Amino acid sequence: MTMTKLANATLFDLKTGLSEEETSKKRFLTDMEKLFNDTETLQKELDAGNNPMIYEYYALDLPKTEGDIQYGTSIVYPGTLGGEYYMTKGHFHEILETGEVYFCMSGQGYMLMENPEGEWEIEELVPGRAVQVPPRYAHRSINTGNEPLVTFFTFRADAGHDYGSIETKGYRKLVVERNGKPEIIDNPKWQQ
Amino acid sequence: MTMTKLANATLFDLKTGLSEEETSKKRFLTDMEKLFNDTETLQKELDAGNNPMIYEYYALDLPKTEGDIQYGTSIVYPGTLGGEYYMTKGHFHEILETGEVYFCMSGQGYMLMENPEGEWEIEELVPGRAVQVPPRYAHRSINTGNEPLVTFFTFRADAGHDYGSIETKGYRKLVVERNGKPEIIDNPKWQQ
């Protein structure tokens, strides 16, 4: 009898979140042109030849049934662009009624969430803090610290990712640096 | 407008897995009478007044819809009973077609899995290793090291727990200490 191995496992570095066994997806400033608020500063950076990696994450090739749980790590690097902290693009799930859990392994920042009805929530990410993103909520990790913000995430494997809604409408709220501290402000460019 | 906060978060100690914000469920030797193989040694321990905590975990009061992801930590303490390593009871999900993800934070051991069809799998747990338990598989954490085995777990929030099947039939395989090292053996008491 041939054994069909169904379980799988991946080794990550608990501090950096990186895995030598898999290849991460990397998101650079050029991938975030529609996401950062200050497009003028962004363009200046690109014109000057600066295209830093903003974040990377693992999208593992695992079963995508509604009974499986998908996992991976996300690493958002420290920095700001026009006062706005480095962050992930943020996404809804294609199956809108599914949530996600983020477990912070190192660094510090926020999980910013909003639903299509206009409600929004924010939770702090510090090492050891688990945040449960409710169904229907788009979610974005924001690094407000000086080291990489590393999270371990899990979601229903059939959830799917909708990045387009955020790229088109933007987030209602932004997290920016004011006097060296994070502040939540309304997004002046947000489109109803 | 009153804000209905849907997101939630819990702070765990990354090393010990414990949370000061929540109360864990504690499982002592008396809770494991049907689980350890060597019932004679187990009874001697209890007769001698020894009732150590074998493991503890968090069952948080969170939404239980099919779209939510439930999370918590599990801490299995080091030790053996009649040569068998300390372990969790192990459980199937009531919704059998749902899996689970365990992310090891500290310690070392194994995730032992079996399905109703008689197939079994085992994956090593070391710090930073994430193990995806497939749907249909009962799963048990086993501590083969000298310090607590700490994992962060997530599963579909409506999955439910079936502990009875394992308590009645037992696991097909046991992990025991032989010459100071873990060895997987057939469970002599396993019932078809």
Side-chain angles (χ1 to χ4, degrees):
Chain A
M1 178 176 151
T2 308
M3 181 162 160
T4 308
K5 197 167 165 302
L6 294 174
N8 77 78
T10 309
L11 182 64
F12 299 96
D13 184 297
L14 274 177
K15 177 70 180 170
T16 67
L18 297 170
S19 175
E20 292 179 2
E21 302 171 357
E22 300 281 345
T23 304
S24 70
K25 286 187 186 288
K26 296 169 176 63
R27 295 291 175 253
F28 296 90
L29 191 56
T30 39
D31 300 307
M32 305 288 285
E33 291 188 52
K34 295 175 182 169
L35 283 309
F36 281 113
N37 191 55
D38 185 348
T39 48
E40 199 176 324
T41 301
L42 191 148
Q43 197 53 55
K44 276 184 196 165
E45 287 294 321
L46 295 182
D47 290 347
N50 300 326
N51 188 23
M53 196 195 300
I54 308 298
Y55 71 99
E56 58 187 308
Y57 68 102
Y58 292 90
L60 306 179
D61 185 21
L62 299 173
K64 295 201 167 30
T65 79
E66 65 179 15
D68 286 287
I69 301 294
Q70 172 91 14
Y71 66 89
T73 57
S74 162
I75 303 108
V76 185
Y77 291 99
T80 56
L81 190 285
E84 196 175 6
Y85 291 102
Y86 282 8
M87 59 193 182
T88 60
K89 288 186 173 187
H91 63 273
F92 287 96
H93 288 155
E94 285 174 16
I95 300 177
L96 192 60
E97 296 297 336
T98 58
E100 184 152 349
V101 166
Y102 285 78
F103 183 55
C104 184
M105 297 155 64
S106 68
Q108 64 178 62
Y110 291 95
M111 180 61 63
L112 183 60
M113 299 163 268
E114 65 173 52
N115 69 11
E117 287 69 52
E119 288 147 330
W120 66 278
E121 302 200 13
I122 192 161
E123 286 285 354
E124 205 177 356
L125 291 169
V126 295
R129 195 158 199 248
V131 173
Q132 190 193 43
V133 177
R136 301 186 68 77
Y137 277 74
H139 36 287
R140 159 182 286 175
S141 312
I142 301 166
N143 186 346
T144 59
N146 298 315
E147 53 179 316
L149 173 65
V150 181
T151 51
F152 178 78
F153 59 78
T154 64
F155 56 93
R156 221 175 78 182
D158 64 336
H161 291 78
D162 163 20
Y163 290 100
S165 299
I166 298 298
E167 287 196 332
T168 308
K169 294 198 323 175
Y171 252 73
R172 287 160 198 268
K173 300 286 176 181
L174 305 178
V175 180
V176 297
E177 189 180 45
R178 291 277 165 88
N179 303 316
K181 289 184 177 175
E183 198 173 304
I184 305 165
I185 62 166
D186 287 331
N187 180 357
K189 295 182 179 172
W190 185 76
Q191 293 168 39
Q192 184 75 47
Chain B
M1 177 176 153
T2 308
M3 181 160 159
T4 308
K5 199 169 161 303
L6 293 174
N8 77 78
T10 310
L11 182 63
F12 298 96
D13 183 297
L14 274 177
K15 176 72 180 168
T16 66
L18 298 170
S19 175
E20 292 179 1
E21 302 171 357
E22 299 282 344
T23 304
S24 70
K25 287 187 185 288
K26 297 170 176 62
R27 295 292 174 253
F28 296 90
L29 192 56
T30 40
D31 299 307
M32 304 289 285
E33 290 189 52
K34 294 175 182 169
L35 283 309
F36 281 114
N37 191 55
D38 186 347
T39 47
E40 200 175 323
T41 300
L42 191 148
Q43 197 52 54
K44 277 185 194 165
E45 288 294 322
L46 295 182
D47 290 347
N50 300 327
N51 188 23
M53 196 196 299
I54 308 298
Y55 70 101
E56 59 187 307
Y57 67 103
Y58 292 89
L60 306 178
D61 184 22
L62 299 173
K64 296 204 167 29
T65 80
E66 65 178 16
D68 286 288
I69 301 294
Q70 172 92 13
Y71 66 89
T73 57
S74 162
I75 303 107
V76 185
Y77 291 100
T80 56
L81 191 284
E84 196 175 6
Y85 291 103
Y86 283 8
M87 59 193 182
T88 60
K89 289 185 173 188
H91 63 274
F92 287 96
H93 288 156
E94 285 175 15
I95 300 178
L96 192 60
E97 297 296 337
T98 57
E100 186 153 347
V101 165
Y102 286 77
F103 183 54
C104 183
M105 296 155 64
S106 67
Q108 65 179 61
Y110 291 95
M111 179 60 63
L112 183 61
M113 300 163 268
E114 66 173 52
N115 69 11
E117 288 69 51
E119 289 147 327
W120 65 278
E121 302 199 15
I122 192 162
E123 286 285 353
E124 205 178 357
L125 290 169
V126 294
R129 195 157 198 249
V131 173
Q132 191 193 42
V133 177
R136 302 186 68 78
Y137 277 74
H139 36 287
R140 159 183 286 175
S141 312
I142 301 166
N143 186 345
T144 59
N146 299 314
E147 52 179 315
L149 174 65
V150 181
T151 51
F152 178 78
F153 59 78
T154 64
F155 55 92
R156 220 175 78 183
D158 65 336
H161 291 78
D162 163 20
Y163 291 100
S165 299
I166 298 298
E167 287 195 334
T168 307
K169 293 197 322 172
Y171 252 72
R172 289 160 197 268
K173 300 287 176 180
L174 304 178
V175 180
V176 297
E177 188 179 45
R178 291 277 163 89
N179 303 315
K181 288 184 179 175
E183 198 174 302
I184 305 164
I185 62 166
D186 287 332
N187 180 356
K189 294 182 179 172
W190 185 76
Q191 293 169 40
Q192 184 74 48

